[in-house]
Amino acid sequence: MEKKRFGLAAAVVFLALVQVSVSVPFIVLHGIAAACSEGKEANFTQLLSNFSGSPGFCLEVGNGELDSWFMPLAKQAEIACEKVKQMKELRQGYNIVGRSQGNLVARGLIEFCDGGPPVYNYVSLAGPHAGISSVPMCGSGLWCEIADELIKSDIYSDFIQDHLAPSGYLKIPTEMKKYLESSKYLPKLNNEIPGQRNSTYKERFASLHNLVLIMFEDDKVIVPKDSSWFGFYPDDFGPLLTVRETKLFKEDWIGLKPLVDTGKVEFVSIDGAHLRMSNVDIVKYVVPYLQNQSSSEQKKIQPQNQGAFAYLKEKISHHSYVIVKKP
């Protein structure tokens, strides 16, 4: 009888451990002109949760769509930091999926959030990590009219930097001196300012277990699209530099180089426009990193899982979920 009780107890403990190992939560950070209350964002978060079996949360910063345009990114990252610290579900650590501009808030969480829970895996969908050389087109409507008027002003002025979120990562290659002196977000995030490089930001980013950088080949929102892989123009708008050719990588400003050198970075290129991604690609490139597996398991679909993947691919091909994000 005692032996049976011990065996039952051991089984319970084992099952508990298994449950913990596959239930690391994740958050989704949406991009510009979007909100967690929108169907697209809520559905995307639920889709990831359904596929991965992990609890997911769309983390809203401020007033959704409005603040995604007009709240400076430093403030957005500060609010996100306080929110994740208050969420009991994230206390043991979590994973992040960032979408477009939301990736800069995600990196703010990783690099700037003092006392926050650890971030294990980070999946970036069309992130403007090295900046953008032109502001995303807004479209129509009252908020877009206001944004367009602000864009026509001096993008590096204090007023614009404090009232237009994309100004925090607009990097005009021919105005690098002004960018480094006056841009209030990306130069700090990327440790670009000589003499002001923060080793803590670098250490935190380099502590990621896995980093997935997904670029969309027909992206017209992130210009250049290579910014999703940390590639960018040289100071004279010359030929694009790959990530390995940039000073950020070669001089290791943010800890990206050791992540790449140790095989913890996945560079993924997907056919399609900005944030347009099929279920099959979501299952292949995103879902494995939302499950608490070892790095070797996350790098590829293991042979023993090929059958399950093929089955899932067949099932979802008839119900393709396309992520469409407004620029």
Side-chain angles (χ1 to χ4, degrees):
M1 179 64 73
E2 197 65 34
K3 188 177 292 186
K4 287 184 178 180
R5 286 178 180 173
F6 175 81
L8 180 60
V12 169
V13 170
F14 174 76
L15 289 173
L17 289 174
V18 170
Q19 179 62 29
V20 169
S21 72
V22 297
S23 61
V24 173
F26 67 89
I27 64 169
V28 173
L29 291 162
H30 67 71
I32 202 166
C36 286
S37 58
E38 291 181 356
K40 286 198 302 269
E41 305 302 328
N43 291 344
F44 178 60
T45 304
Q46 186 60 56
L47 184 80
L48 293 179
S49 189
N50 289 345
F51 281 168
S52 67
S54 300
F57 308 89
C58 183
L59 191 75
E60 189 61 275
V61 176
N63 188 24
E65 182 174 354
L66 176 63
D67 284 335
S68 74
W69 270 107
F70 302 114
M71 181 185 288
L73 286 169
K75 184 65 176 177
Q76 291 192 39
E78 180 183 328
I79 291 174
C81 174
E82 291 307 310
K83 285 197 169 188
V84 299
K85 286 195 287 189
Q86 292 170 12
M87 292 177 65
K88 63 180 185 300
E89 297 93 343
L90 308 182
R91 286 176 186 167
Q92 301 304 312
Y94 64 106
N95 300 320
I96 298 179
V97 177
R99 301 184 67 188
S100 197
Q101 178 179 279
N103 284 289
L104 298 185
V105 180
R107 286 184 53 210
L109 272 176
I110 296 166
E111 295 181 37
F112 303 154
C113 189
D114 295 328
V119 178
Y120 299 129
N121 299 332
Y122 167 35
V123 181
S124 165
L125 307 177
H129 295 293
I132 55 174
S133 59
S134 62
V135 176
M137 294 300 295
C138 183
S140 59
L142 175 61
W143 304 127
C144 286
E145 291 175 11
I146 296 173
D148 287 339
E149 287 302 312
L150 290 174
I151 290 167
K152 294 174 185 176
S153 305
D154 182 0
I155 204 75
Y156 293 129
S157 69
D158 284 344
F159 180 80
I160 302 301
Q161 288 288 312
D162 292 338
H163 292 89
L164 185 67
S167 70
Y169 54 99
L170 181 68
K171 184 194 290 188
I172 302 173
T174 54
E175 295 186 28
M176 286 301 295
K177 185 175 184 294
K178 201 169 185 180
Y179 161 77
L180 290 174
E181 290 175 349
S182 304
S183 180
K184 294 187 177 182
Y185 193 72
L186 192 63
K188 177 182 177 183
L189 189 71
N190 280 349
N191 260 338
E192 293 179 275
I193 306 173
Q196 298 183 33
R197 294 187 178 122
N198 190 306
S199 60
T200 299
Y201 303 160
K202 175 180 175 179
E203 289 167 6
R204 288 173 176 171
F205 192 68
S207 72
L208 288 169
H209 293 192
N210 293 282
L211 170 64
V212 185
L213 300 173
I214 298 180
M215 175 175 67
F216 294 80
E217 284 297 329
D218 298 323
D219 201 330
K220 300 297 189 294
V221 176
I222 306 302
V223 180
K225 67 178 185 292
D226 305 68
S227 183
S228 295
W229 284 5
F230 284 90
F232 205 71
Y233 300 110
D235 294 355
D236 58 357
F237 258 123
L240 276 167
L241 301 176
T242 66
V243 59
R244 292 179 182 273
E245 295 171 325
T246 65
K247 289 183 179 180
L248 177 144
F249 183 85
K250 291 191 293 186
E251 298 179 7
D252 194 23
W253 294 348
I254 61 167
L256 180 61
K257 188 176 187 301
L259 284 173
V260 171
D261 290 346
T262 54
K264 295 180 180 179
V265 181
E266 190 93 23
F267 293 95
V268 179
S269 178
I270 290 178
D271 290 335
H274 186 64
L275 290 179
R276 288 182 176 267
M277 196 173 185
S278 70
N279 276 345
V280 172
D281 283 337
I282 290 172
V283 169
K284 184 175 181 180
Y285 298 118
V286 180
V287 170
Y289 295 89
L290 303 183
Q291 299 167 326
N292 192 24
Q293 301 170 328
S294 67
S295 298
S296 60
E297 285 177 312
Q298 289 168 325
K299 286 300 174 186
K300 59 184 178 179
I301 303 293
Q302 296 297 308
Q304 60 267 32
N305 294 330
Q306 290 287 358
F309 178 72
Y311 172 77
L312 180 57
K313 180 176 180 179
E314 180 183 356
K315 294 292 286 185
I316 65 180
S317 64
H318 301 294
H319 304 281
S320 184
Y321 179 95
V322 177
I323 308 166
V324 180
K325 176 69 177 61
K326 293 184 291 183

